[in-house]
Amino acid sequence: MKQYKVFVVANLIFGVLLIVLTKLILPVCHPMGGGTMSCEISTTVDAFLGLALLANAVVAAGLLKKKAHVILSAVTLVLGVFVSLVPTVIVGVCPHAHMACHAITGPVLAVFGVLIALFAALNLIYLKLRRRNEQD
């Protein structure tokens, strides 16, 4: 399988998994007193980042130029970093350690974001090495 197909399929899987994790599987707290819980905001933002990963995969499927795949890999790297930072730094989860979103949702999304970023970084390294070998 060609490299760009692996990239497209991986981005599709990451995007779908991120949306399913945030909207169906991982627990979030229910609002108390009419307010919105920060864990709910975090999962909503991460679901939108999953949609961005899906859009990135669709764009990558339509482009065959190698330079475009380097840029799309960089975009995936940034999205992965944001997936990890949203529940840990940018928005956060509920402050009490006994809440499920604090114990499960936040750490799972942080690790998943690191996996996405790691995949994108490895893809970038592969693309750079292949480009260097083609120039020699």
Side-chain angles (χ1 to χ4, degrees):
M1 187 181 281
K2 295 203 173 222
Q3 175 273 333
Y4 76 94
K5 290 180 182 176
V6 172
F7 178 75
V8 168
V9 169
N11 269 322
L12 286 173
I13 291 171
F14 286 145
V16 170
L17 267 177
L18 190 57
I19 293 169
V20 169
L21 280 173
T22 56
K23 292 300 170 192
L24 298 176
I25 296 175
L26 294 175
V28 293
C29 301
H30 298 289
M32 293 182 194
T36 303
M37 306 299 280
S38 58
C39 58
E40 186 178 354
I41 296 170
S42 286
T43 56
T44 301
V45 171
D46 275 350
F48 279 111
L49 292 173
L51 287 174
L53 282 171
L54 290 176
N56 198 21
V58 170
V59 170
L63 298 174
L64 294 178
K65 295 187 178 193
K66 294 173 188 169
K67 198 167 196 166
H69 282 269
V70 171
I71 294 169
L72 294 174
S73 290
V75 169
T76 299
L77 177 67
V78 170
L79 289 173
V81 169
F82 273 106
V83 166
S84 184
L85 289 179
V86 165
T88 56
V89 177
I90 296 174
V91 176
V93 291
C94 297
H96 300 290
H98 67 278
M99 300 181 102
C101 65
H102 187 85
I104 298 171
T105 305
V108 167
L109 290 176
V111 169
F112 195 66
V114 168
L115 288 176
I116 293 169
L118 186 62
F119 167 76
L122 290 176
N123 193 46
L124 275 173
I125 291 169
Y126 173 78
L127 289 172
K128 290 290 184 185
L129 289 176
R130 198 171 88 186
R131 189 175 194 186
R132 182 183 299 162
N133 288 339
E134 288 175 357
Q135 290 175 349
D136 291 338

